[in-house]
């Protein structure tokens, strides 16, 4: 019978499209990987891979065998999870992608607690605002904000986040405070370019208002815009999780709270399949427990005095 490591090596070689990349991902030498695949082909009595100067590609028999290998390895992973969960321990390597600002500010402390609670769990976290290819780049899960693109990925909503317009007290003392969205056209706005068309959306009753911000400072980094708005260089529209600490400290003032603002969802997405690996399940459960209900970052939008949310978070 083929060894399990031989099966993993073959699947990885096909997924990577080359022995060098597959060996690097598995942490073995190319010669070891090649011997494993050669041993598989000898045991099965058929060629699984076609090799050329451009790389490797599976034969027809190789494609069929890969599909069966993947089922075997998935069943083994599910069986391992079932046993380890009975012992309340989670093990394995969790590869996670998370957006930069949310990840560093709010997710990192949760992952720290997760690592302490599960000493056999390995964490490999990529903080990036790029939308990664979960399957192609071999991520177990990703944290995503906003509307999700149609895909085969499985998503779980874990928390809401709201847009909020903010400015520093110094900026407002020099330039005045806007009382309605239309007033923003007369102000220096700090523009986030990580979206196709920068627009700030508001709603008053059934009336929707879209403002196209104008200003001399633009960036695709939310952290850069946060520094600019705190420095008094303009007005920004930012997610509440990014500006909540600055609002609580008084460094920033939330504006136009009488107008409803968009609510976005924070989701955990994972590759398709009915089986949820234990390492992904414990991540989701921990995030829902920590951020469910009204997240700490939306407390900055509470009305002073009565503790009730302003209209934009209703």
């Amino acid at each position: 019978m083929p060894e399990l490591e031989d099966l993993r090596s073959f699947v990885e070689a096909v997924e990577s499209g080359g022995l060098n990349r597959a060996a690097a991902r598995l942490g073995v030498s190319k010669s070891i990987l090649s011997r494993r695949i050669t041993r598989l082909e000898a045991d099965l009595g058929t060629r699984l891979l076609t090799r050329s100067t451009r790389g490797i590609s599976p034969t027809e028999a190789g494609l069929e065998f890969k599909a069966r290998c993947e089922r075997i390895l998935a069943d083994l992973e599910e069986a391992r999870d079932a046993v380890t969960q009975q012992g309340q321990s989670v093990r394995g390597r969790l590869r996670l992608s998370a957006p930069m600002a949310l990840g560093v500010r709010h997710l990192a402390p949760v992952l720290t607690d997760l690592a302490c609670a599960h000493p056999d769990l390995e964490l490999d976290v990529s903080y990036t605002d790029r939308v990664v290819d979960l399957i192609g780049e071999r991520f177990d899960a990703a944290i995503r904000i906003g509307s999700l693109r149609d895909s085969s990925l499985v998503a779980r909503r874990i928390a809401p986040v709201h847009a909020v317009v903010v400015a520093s007290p110094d900026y407002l003392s020099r330039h005045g405070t806007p009382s309605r969205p239309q007033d923003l056209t007369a102000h220096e706005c700090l523009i986030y370019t990580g979206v196709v068309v920068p627009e700030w959306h508001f709603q008053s009753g059934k009336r929707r208002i879209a403002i196209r911000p104008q200003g001399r400072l633009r960036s695709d980094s939310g952290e850069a815009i946060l520094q600019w708005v705190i420095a008094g260089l303009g007005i920004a529209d930012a997610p509440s999780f990014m500006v909540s600490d600055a609002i609580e400290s008084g460094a920033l003032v939330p504006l136009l709270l009488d107008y409803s603002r968009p609510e976005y969802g924070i989701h955990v997405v994972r590759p398709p399949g009915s089986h949820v690996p234990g390492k992904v399940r414990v991540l989701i459960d921990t995030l829902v427990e920590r951020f469910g209900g009204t997240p700490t970052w939306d407390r900055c939008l509470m009305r002073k005095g009565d503790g009730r949310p302003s209209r934009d978070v209703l």
Side-chain angles (χ1 to χ4, degrees), residues 177-189 211 235 256 259:
T177 301
S179 60
R180 55 185 190 137
Q182 293 85 344
D183 295 341
L184 293 170
T185 59
H187 284 268
E188 182 73 23
C189 294
I211 300 297
I235 295 178
L256 303 173
Y259 292 84

Side-chain angles (χ1 to χ4, degrees), residues 17 41 47-60:
E41 292 178 323
R47 181 186 295 178
L48 298 174
L49 297 176
T50 299
R51 298 161 175 83
S52 69
T53 56
R54 291 177 295 179
I56 61 173
S57 59
T59 63
E60 185 175 347

Side-chain angles (χ1 to χ4, degrees), residues 62-132:
L63 286 173
E64 173 65 23
F65 189 63
K66 176 178 178 286
R68 294 179 182 271
C69 287
E70 288 174 327
R71 288 199 292 271
I72 291 170
L73 295 172
D75 287 344
L76 177 63
E77 183 69 20
E78 185 172 356
R80 180 184 289 115
D81 285 343
V83 172
T84 56
Q85 286 175 29
Q86 288 182 0
Q88 300 301 312
S89 66
V90 177
R91 63 180 65 244
R93 181 168 174 257
L94 174 63
R95 191 154 189 257
L96 175 68
S97 170
M100 183 70 71
L102 176 71
V104 173
R105 291 172 178 273
H106 299 284
L107 184 62
V110 177
L111 295 180
T112 299
D113 293 343
L114 193 65
C116 292
H118 301 279
D120 293 324
L121 178 65
E122 299 178 36
L123 295 178
D124 182 354
V125 186
S126 174
Y127 292 110
T128 175
D129 290 332
R130 178 177 64 88
V131 178
V132 302

Side-chain angles (χ1 to χ4, degrees), residues 133 258 294:
D133 178 359
D258 286 335
T294 300

Side-chain angles (χ1 to χ4, degrees), residues 247-248 250 254 257 299-308 310:
I247 292 174
E248 293 290 345
L257 291 181
R299 293 174 187 168
C300 67
L301 302 178
M302 297 291 181
R303 285 197 183 102
K304 299 292 184 182
D306 59 9
R308 291 182 296 142
S310 55

